[in-house]
Amino acid sequence: MSVFALFQNYYQNKLKLAIIGQSLFGQEVYSNLRKQGHKVVGVFTVPDKDGKADPLAAAAEKDGTPVFKFPRWRLKGKPIPEVVEAYKAVGAELNVMPFCSQFIPMNVIDDPKHGSIIYHPSILPLHRGASAINWTLIHGDKKAGFTVFWADDGLDTGPILLQRECAVEPNDTVDALYNRFLFPEGIKAMVESVQLIADGKAPRVPQTEEGASYEGIQKKSNSKVNLAQPAKAIHDWIRGHDKVPGAWTVVDGQSVTLYGSSMLGGSAPAGQPLEIEGASQPALVTKNGLVLYGSDGKALLVKNLQFEDGKMIPASKYFSSGESSSVELTDDEKKMAEEIRNIWKGILSNVPAIEDATDFFKCGAASMDVVRLVEEVKQKCAGVQLQSEDVYMATTFQDFIQMFVRKLRGEDQEEELLIDYATKEVNNMTVKMPNQCFINGRFEDAENGKVYDTINPTDGSVICKVSYASVGDVDRAVAAAKEAFESGPWGRMNPRDRGSLLYKLADLMEEHQEELATIESMDSGAVYTLALKTHVGMSIQTFRYFAGWCDKIQGKTIPINQARPNRNLTFTRREPLGVCAIIIPWNYPLMMLAWKSAACLAAGNTLVLKPAQVTPLTALKFAELTVKAGIPKGVVNILPGSGGMVGQRLSDHPDIRKLGFTGSTPIGKQIMKSCALSNLKKVSLELGGKSPLIIFADCDMDKAVRMGMSSVYFNKGENCIAAGRLFVEESVHDDFISRVLEELKKMKIGDPLDRSTDHGPQNHKAHLDKLLEYCEVGLKEGATLVYGGKQVDRPGYFMEPTVFTNVEDHMFLAKEESFGPVMVVSKFKDGDVDGVLRRANDTEYGLASGVFTRDINKAMYVSERLDAGTVFVNTYNKTDVASPFGGFKQSGFGKDLGEDALMEYLKTKAVTVEY
């Protein structure tokens, strides 16, 4: 915000407000009104529940705002005098009611000078009363919205001050609609309404009764779904009750609640019939979920089911859960079970009898006993696939037998990974590209059904359509990652076994390296040979490096003062953080994924990763390889989509404990703010740079030219550590430029899949346009354009390699990063080492830097004083998986690669034992 805007905002008309309400929505309205300069003279909210204050109360108490927690305002229909008196004492000029579950007396509503305004989540007069969002979906409304209205003595009938509306997406749920529009836009609208009142510009538009409707609160008792109606009506009923109170039906005599409905396009997949009470035809339990048919013959898909005991399962697992989770044994299987009981008895010799509830480990079994049990059972039952991990997952005798019988029958086979590939015949191979969200070990469409085009920058053609993840998809992915961390095998896995899986993943990446490099080249414009060696090659190295760290994460013992006469042992543990979010850029799509996710997984965390919107394809191919490697479901989740939606929700999500981001500094600041405000999640940021490269006259000029060009033009200049500014000593400046121009004329620009191409297209159209604008600014400011500066005259997003000289310190080119193939060159006087150092460090960035000189003393002097996370001496772009990478100042903090990166994804716990 500009200084003028702040000045203007400060002197707007302001009011004394009473906030009456509750919830996070109320808290946000309260906080934003205070930011706008209004004085909140009192907050009236609900009493603490289980010793915990409502979010609105907590925020107000922290600010020192008077807070009143009345259990009720009325008694037997009449206002409570002492409550009304306490309210009037604050002297409010306006009551603001963002969300209020209590009945407020009219003598409170009408008391302030400006009366009271209320937020209601529907387009009044439609859906007056409670559960308005639910009814918007239940009725299949095309539009949703909210109303800010003046309170009167009716029920949601007061004059309208302001309304906003949005389209209802085909698969919106209550949560999706609220999170996408009603919550964020509602907060803005409440703040805007208060200012309109303060400025005397607030309208009072009487509500019409035409089209008015009133519906009551939806309860579980009246939310049974009528299956004898069209599929769209069934879908609307289910999503209108998702998550509360939940639409239900009757299956096999018990009520089953339905969640996660979406309309099914095309024919239904094969499945097992399931009779459902009142349905026009049997449902189908398929690999994708439960298919229900409407009276019109159309179908919808339900993803999750909840039984009367509260247990929730994927609908696809209906026939392998609930009452069928306990398999009925045949006579032969019963005999086998008794033989296994004897094996247990032989191992647990201290136990008088092996009962169904006998727990293998609680009876004293150790790891060698697990191996013995597995091997004895395999010897007795040839052909059964049994592993040590199976014993840890089924520790009681009954559970072990159930697991064993399923394996014997082949019922425990992992569900086949279904992938709707986009395929292309390119680069002498068939490239198979997953293009859906990857959540909980499955590829699936975005919750809202949206897709977008990912573009080949070589010619501007569409490669394929990709799922456009929603806020609801983020929530599901985080829930899957949380469950995988807290309850799945990943969290209990031996670190060495975890390392084995990561080694296997690296092997699979190597096996598919040509396909990965081809996808990377098509999607990002990277020259194929570079994609093969660096984008993919370094990704493989990164996973192998961190796989080796899995069983080497150690704490330490610490000598402390003893509390005599007792003795103490203090030690530390390095523990994973939990669910981590990773947001990566578009310049090295696979490599940036590897740099962050390999360390994250090696530390034992689970993750939700958002690839750049313009380059999602190698991340989704990587997801496929994680399944083949045996990484358990939920450990890795990939969500293509927008940063504004997916990235923001990841930053805000309360169940995420760490967020790693690579991208621009402004977005990094916003992410850091969101992470702090949400749940103070740990953050590491690799942000923008303007890396200086100093070339002294005493350098190896051939090497300086070669490396200097690489420092700028490597990966088309789309390189985090690219040399954003070259300082060349005056006596060799002209020779250096002459040699660079000579080499540039030899550079081949063209199809990145052509093995002889040196320079491919820029990543996407918007970035090319930004680079052209960057060059125009340089010319206007007086820098000398000696080469390039234009778009190449051919299809695609190709930019000529560019050289600017005579760039002065005050110029835009000297201060701002191009992130493209633009060499920015400035002279410095011969021998002026300290002067060029001051100029090199005169930037808010500090990602990388470099120096070329044959003088080792000068090299060491300069490297010590360059204020950057990485300093290259007589080389450039030389990164290695074992060396930490990260910046200083506004280039961010935290490290990728090396042991330091591992520490970004661990927490230290101190344990003190007295003995």
Side-chain angles (χ1 to χ4, degrees):
M1 186 179 286
S2 68
V3 174
F4 175 75
L6 286 168
F7 178 85
Q8 188 181 44
N9 181 57
Y10 183 82
Y11 282 100
Q12 282 181 320
N13 299 313
K14 303 301 172 189
L15 294 176
K16 290 190 289 185
L17 308 174
I19 308 294
I20 304 175
Q22 63 204 77
S23 79
L24 184 61
F25 184 75
Q27 175 200 322
E28 289 294 321
V29 171
Y30 159 81
S31 299
N32 280 274
L33 285 170
R34 290 185 77 246
K35 287 178 185 176
Q36 292 297 314
H38 297 286
K39 181 175 179 58
V40 179
V41 294
V43 164
F44 299 84
T45 187
V46 293
D48 295 356
K49 185 175 182 180
D50 298 327
K52 186 176 180 182
D54 180 82
L56 171 58
E61 287 168 345
K62 183 180 177 182
D63 295 333
T65 302
V67 177
F68 304 85
K69 303 176 182 179
F70 300 132
R72 63 185 64 85
W73 291 71
R74 303 187 305 177
L75 189 61
K76 296 181 179 180
K78 293 183 179 182
I80 302 173
E82 53 268 32
V83 172
V84 174
E85 184 179 339
Y87 159 76
K88 289 186 176 182
V90 302
E93 296 172 323
L94 174 70
N95 291 333
V96 179
M97 303 168 68
F99 172 76
C100 184
S101 63
Q102 296 175 313
F103 288 100
I104 311 301
M106 284 308 299
N107 59 339
V108 171
I109 295 289
D110 294 336
D111 182 72
K113 172 184 175 182
H114 297 290
S116 304
I117 60 170
I118 305 177
Y119 171 91
H120 186 77
S122 77
I123 308 171
L124 292 176
L126 197 61
H127 306 312
R128 291 171 177 163
S131 304
I133 312 174
N134 302 72
W135 288 109
T136 297
L137 296 174
I138 291 167
H139 285 292
D141 294 352
K142 300 295 184 185
K143 291 182 179 179
F146 58 80
T147 304
V148 179
F149 69 96
W150 299 92
D152 66 359
D153 58 357
L155 189 61
D156 303 333
T157 56
I160 293 170
L161 191 160
L162 180 150
Q163 286 186 323
R164 297 281 187 270
E165 61 182 41
C166 70
V168 176
E169 300 294 342
N171 294 319
D172 267 342
T173 61
V174 172
D175 283 350
L177 198 53
Y178 184 72
N179 292 328
R180 186 181 79 246
F181 184 79
L182 299 176
F183 180 84
E185 295 304 318
I187 293 164
K188 295 176 188 175
M190 287 297 283
V191 175
E192 181 183 345
S193 297
V194 171
Q195 194 58 54
L196 286 171
I197 295 168
D199 295 337
K201 299 177 181 178
R204 289 175 179 263
V205 181
Q207 287 194 42
T208 176
E209 290 303 307
E210 184 179 348
S213 65
Y214 173 85
E215 295 96 0
I217 296 175
Q218 277 301 91
K219 299 179 180 179
K220 194 74 174 182
S221 58
N222 58 14
S223 61
K224 183 179 180 182
V225 61
N226 174 15
L227 295 173
Q229 57 182 332
K232 176 66 165 56
I234 299 172
H235 166 61
D236 288 338
W237 184 268
I238 295 171
R239 66 180 179 139
H241 291 81
D242 191 338
K243 299 290 188 188
V244 176
W248 57 277
T249 187
V250 176
V251 184
D252 288 339
Q254 69 165 320
S255 64
V256 177
T257 306
L258 313 171
Y259 295 109
S261 171
S262 60
M263 292 300 295
L264 189 64
S267 58
Q272 190 170 347
L274 177 65
E275 294 290 341
I276 297 182
E277 182 181 291
S280 57
Q281 66 183 86
L284 285 178
V285 177
T286 73
K287 289 183 177 181
N288 298 335
L290 178 68
V291 176
L292 297 173
Y293 292 94
S295 57
D296 57 356
K298 294 182 179 179
L300 60 140
L301 184 71
V302 173
K303 292 205 171 175
N304 297 305
L305 305 175
Q306 187 174 37
F307 298 104
E308 291 175 350
D309 61 2
K311 181 182 179 182
M312 183 179 285
I313 63 163
S316 59
K317 301 291 187 182
Y318 178 81
F319 286 112
S320 57
S321 66
E323 66 275 11
S324 59
S325 62
S326 180
V327 297
E328 189 71 30
L329 273 60
T330 65
D331 290 341
D332 287 342
E333 289 166 347
K334 287 176 181 177
K335 290 178 183 177
M336 190 70 71
E338 288 308 309
E339 292 183 17
I340 294 173
R341 193 187 299 271
N342 290 331
I343 294 173
W344 275 54
K345 179 62 180 172
I347 297 171
L348 304 176
S349 56
N350 59 318
V351 179
I354 304 298
E355 308 289 347
D356 285 352
T358 300
D359 189 289
F360 194 66
F361 296 102
K362 288 180 180 179
C363 291
S367 58
M368 280 305 299
D369 299 314
V370 172
V371 176
R372 177 182 166 185
L373 174 61
V374 168
E375 293 306 314
E376 283 199 48
V377 171
K378 286 166 68 175
Q379 187 178 36
K380 182 73 67 175
C381 314
V384 68
Q385 297 296 313
L386 195 65
Q387 299 176 353
S388 297
E389 189 64 29
D390 296 322
V391 183
Y392 292 107
M393 297 295 287
T395 61
T396 67
F397 181 74
Q398 183 180 38
D399 289 344
F400 184 86
I401 292 300
Q402 292 286 313
M403 174 271 298
F404 168 78
V405 170
R406 286 198 182 92
K407 284 184 173 291
L408 204 60
R409 297 177 181 180
E411 293 176 3
D412 73 320
Q413 296 292 323
E414 281 290 322
E415 184 178 325
E416 181 186 357
L417 183 64
L418 300 176
I419 307 178
D420 185 14
Y421 288 113
T423 60
K424 282 194 177 295
E425 297 294 329
V426 61
N427 204 23
N428 298 317
M429 68 180 76
T430 302
V431 175
K432 300 168 72 175
M433 298 169 286
N435 57 352
Q436 297 167 289
C437 300
F438 183 71
I439 300 173
N440 205 23
R442 290 168 36 161
F443 285 102
E444 53 189 58
D445 292 338
E447 185 178 73
N448 57 17
K450 283 189 175 181
V451 295
Y452 69 97
D453 294 334
T454 186
I455 304 298
N456 186 337
T458 301
D459 57 10
S461 64
V462 174
I463 301 172
C464 64
K465 292 190 179 296
V466 178
S467 291
Y468 189 80
S470 68
V471 169
D473 295 313
V474 177
D475 291 344
R476 289 189 301 112
V478 172
K482 185 179 181 184
E483 183 178 357
F485 180 77
E486 294 179 351
S487 307
W490 187 253
R492 300 189 297 272
M493 190 175 291
N494 182 297
R496 198 162 295 164
D497 293 338
R498 188 164 66 240
S500 296
L501 290 180
L502 295 184
Y503 276 123
K504 187 174 180 181
L505 177 57
D507 290 345
L508 282 165
M509 292 171 71
E510 186 169 55
E511 184 182 323
H512 289 263
Q513 61 183 331
E514 288 85 2
E515 185 179 21
L516 285 166
T518 302
I519 296 171
E520 192 91 330
S521 189
M522 285 195 299
D523 207 21
S524 75
V527 170
Y528 176 76
T529 49
L530 177 66
L532 193 62
K533 178 182 182 296
T534 301
H535 289 235
V536 179
M538 193 173 188
S539 300
I540 296 166
Q541 292 175 27
T542 303
F543 271 98
R544 285 188 175 139
Y545 173 80
F546 283 108
W549 266 109
C550 288
D551 61 354
K552 300 172 186 67
I553 298 170
Q554 301 176 19
K556 56 187 176 182
T557 57
I558 303 171
I560 65 170
N561 288 337
Q562 306 295 335
R564 296 177 182 176
N566 299 313
R567 296 180 63 79
N568 300 98
L569 169 67
T570 295
F571 61 92
T572 60
R573 290 170 50 90
R574 295 283 195 179
E575 298 180 348
L577 299 169
V579 181
C580 298
I582 293 173
I583 303 175
I584 57 173
W586 42 258
N587 57 327
Y588 294 104
L590 186 64
M591 194 172 79
M592 291 297 99
L593 175 153
W595 279 22
K596 287 181 169 23
S597 62
C600 174
L601 294 172
N605 302 287
T606 58
L607 67 87
V608 180
L609 182 140
K610 192 200 88 65
Q613 184 171 341
V614 292
T615 53
L617 296 180
T618 43
L620 294 171
K621 189 68 180 180
F622 169 83
E624 178 190 349
L625 298 181
T626 66
V627 177
K628 292 183 177 180
I631 305 286
K633 68 177 184 178
V635 174
V636 174
N637 303 271
I638 310 286
L639 298 176
S642 79
M645 184 183 297
V646 176
Q648 186 61 52
R649 179 56 179 158
L650 290 172
S651 302
D652 293 336
H653 204 291
D655 289 334
I656 290 173
R657 293 299 167 193
K658 160 71 194 279
L659 190 147
F661 171 75
T662 296
S664 73
T665 296
I667 298 300
K669 289 179 178 179
Q670 179 61 45
I671 284 174
M672 189 173 176
K673 179 180 177 182
S674 297
C675 288
L677 290 175
S678 54
N679 62 337
L680 210 64
K681 56 178 66 72
K682 189 175 181 180
V683 183
S684 57
L685 304 170
E686 195 254 281
L687 306 176
K690 187 67 177 172
S691 301
L693 173 59
I694 303 171
I695 298 175
F696 288 100
D698 61 357
C699 70
D700 178 338
M701 185 54 71
D702 289 338
K703 189 174 186 181
V705 169
R706 186 174 70 255
M707 291 289 185
M709 291 182 66
S710 175
S711 76
V712 175
Y713 303 118
F714 189 82
N715 200 46
K716 309 124 32 180
E718 295 168 354
N719 188 18
C720 304
I721 56 174
R725 192 176 182 194
L726 276 66
F727 295 93
V728 183
E729 201 159 9
E730 194 167 27
S731 59
V732 296
H733 173 275
D734 292 350
D735 181 37
F736 177 82
I737 295 298
S738 175
R739 293 192 189 200
V740 167
L741 296 180
E742 187 178 331
E743 292 303 316
L744 283 177
K745 291 170 185 175
K746 303 174 186 175
M747 189 178 287
K748 180 179 176 181
I749 302 171
D751 183 352
L753 291 174
D754 184 335
R755 305 307 192 265
S756 64
T757 294
D758 299 305
H759 188 80
Q762 304 310 135
N763 187 278
H764 52 281
K765 178 68 164 57
H767 183 54
L768 173 63
D769 293 342
K770 177 188 165 190
L771 288 171
L772 296 173
E773 184 180 344
Y774 185 87
C775 293
E776 289 175 12
V777 172
L779 283 170
K780 288 177 182 176
E781 285 193 327
T784 303
L785 176 65
V786 296
Y787 195 89
K790 299 188 296 294
Q791 181 175 357
V792 178
D793 185 19
R794 59 169 290 159
Y797 310 139
F798 291 85
M799 169 87 177
E800 293 178 342
T802 300
V803 180
F804 277 99
T805 60
N806 298 321
V807 177
E808 298 178 12
D809 293 352
H810 68 275
M811 290 181 177
F812 180 80
L813 268 61
K815 295 179 178 296
E816 297 300 325
E817 179 182 31
S818 72
F819 211 64
V822 183
M823 182 178 283
V824 175
V825 186
S826 300
K827 296 178 185 177
F828 68 95
K829 291 182 179 179
D830 289 353
D832 188 11
V833 178
D834 290 326
V836 74
L837 274 169
R838 281 193 299 274
R839 295 171 71 190
N841 285 329
D842 186 20
T843 173
E844 274 300 301
Y845 301 109
L847 188 56
S849 58
V851 54
F852 278 85
T853 176
R854 284 192 172 98
D855 185 338
I856 187 62
N857 293 321
K858 187 189 296 181
M860 296 305 294
Y861 181 86
V862 171
S863 65
E864 286 175 11
R865 286 159 179 78
L866 282 170
D867 194 11
T870 298
V871 181
F872 298 108
V873 179
N874 293 328
T875 187
Y876 209 88
N877 289 324
K878 178 56 182 173
T879 54
D880 187 87
V881 294
S883 177
F885 179 92
F888 299 160
K889 301 185 285 189
Q890 292 200 47
S891 288
F893 52 83
K895 298 294 181 183
D896 291 326
L897 304 179
E899 183 180 359
D900 293 56
L902 202 62
M903 298 305 111
E904 297 291 336
Y905 294 93
L906 292 165
K907 59 189 177 186
T908 302
K909 178 187 288 181
V911 180
T912 296
V913 182
E914 188 171 279
Y915 61 96

